[in-house]
Amino acid sequence: MLVSVLGDSISTYEGYIPQNYKVYYDEDRQKINGLTSVYDTWWVKVSQYLNAQLCVNNSFSGSKVSGGFPGASSEKRASALHKIDQYPDVILVYMGTNDFGFGVPLEAFEREYRKMLERLRSNYPSARILCATIARSYLRGNFYWQYHEMYAGTALEEYNQAIREAVNERNDIVLMDLPQEGIRYETLDGTHPTLRGHEELAQMWIGCLEKGGPSWH
């Protein structure tokens, strides 16, 4: 089984994303956050749970769903999840954090998220596409730190609800509702997971997958 990833900075790792894509987890940030190898990332942990290997990690630091390239709804991003001779069996989509953080209007986000789903399905008709809502974080050493629930007048929950509705109105894409797992993930800055944070993100994904039954194993 082959897995591809469509993500933003949270899912980048130096040497594992396309050339010229912006990377967050370069060598320095890997060390600062306690990551010693790519096997520490949430998406490798989820791939291992699925007994799968990586096909393509199409993650671009700072990217949104909306706004043209490098937006995930752009044809360039939504069609770049395969290699010449390899196509993904599963696509993990973890996008939306930057749309929320940069205050993309909710109506635009809803429209672009649906466009992304349509393009992914058109380009990868046989893949299982799993789309996650936005998980909340905490600061290392301060578990009671509160994740920002609102930017530019729109609540995080509204973005998550937009993701739920866009996914649930289709019968060919699966929702991974991460916040429903009741877990937050550790960060140093409120956004980017540490080693422990990646473990916690993976735990959320795997919790959602386990609700899907034995077909995922």
Side-chain angles (χ1 to χ4, degrees):
M1 184 185 293
L2 294 174
V3 169
S4 288
V5 181
L6 183 60
D8 51 29
S9 59
I10 290 170
S11 306
T12 62
Y13 199 88
E14 191 167 28
Y16 286 85
I17 61 174
Q19 282 189 326
N20 302 320
Y21 273 33
K22 290 183 180 178
V23 61
Y24 178 81
Y25 287 102
D26 57 18
E27 188 174 341
D28 288 341
R29 291 197 181 106
Q30 291 167 26
K31 290 178 180 177
I32 290 168
N33 285 283
L35 280 69
T36 59
S37 81
V38 72
Y39 292 97
D40 292 330
T41 63
W42 75 265
W43 45 273
V44 169
K45 292 178 183 296
V46 172
S47 297
Q48 290 175 324
Y49 171 83
L50 295 171
N51 295 318
Q53 294 181 328
L54 180 67
C55 184
V56 172
N57 183 343
N58 192 282
S59 294
F60 194 117
S61 182
S63 66
K64 304 186 290 289
V65 173
S66 56
F69 184 82
S73 65
S74 67
E75 183 60 26
K76 186 172 181 179
R77 290 288 303 281
S79 64
L81 295 165
H82 65 282
K83 299 177 181 178
I84 293 174
D85 58 346
Q86 293 182 329
Y87 277 72
D89 300 293
V90 177
I91 297 173
L92 309 177
V93 181
Y94 189 35
M95 292 292 308
T97 299
N98 289 318
D99 298 83
F100 169 59
F102 288 113
V104 171
L106 192 61
E107 298 79 11
F109 177 69
E110 292 171 337
R111 181 178 65 250
E112 293 298 307
Y113 204 94
R114 286 181 170 87
K115 182 191 295 183
M116 176 186 70
L117 297 184
E118 191 60 41
R119 285 180 163 166
L120 287 173
R121 177 48 72 210
S122 176
N123 291 326
Y124 303 101
S126 62
R128 289 201 248 188
I129 301 174
L130 314 180
C131 293
T133 47
I134 303 166
R136 291 170 173 83
S137 63
Y138 64 94
L139 293 179
R140 177 190 288 174
N142 184 8
F143 185 78
Y144 297 102
W145 177 84
Q146 293 296 308
Y147 189 82
H148 298 292
E149 290 292 328
M150 184 170 292
Y151 276 116
T154 306
L156 173 65
E157 187 57 27
E158 293 182 80
Y159 285 85
N160 276 343
Q161 188 59 30
I163 294 172
R164 293 181 188 110
E165 291 175 2
V167 173
N168 287 334
E169 68 189 18
R170 307 182 61 111
N171 59 12
D172 58 351
I173 297 176
V174 181
L175 179 69
M176 300 281 108
D177 204 347
L178 304 188
Q180 295 300 312
E181 294 302 300
I183 303 170
R184 293 187 292 160
Y185 67 92
E186 183 186 79
T187 73
L188 300 179
D189 62 3
T191 300
H192 302 96
T194 60
L195 171 65
R196 181 174 179 177
H198 275 280
E199 292 172 349
E200 289 162 333
L201 262 181
Q203 187 178 345
M204 292 182 226
W205 275 85
I206 291 168
C208 291
L209 287 167
E210 287 179 343
K211 290 181 174 67
S215 62
W216 289 111
H217 293 276

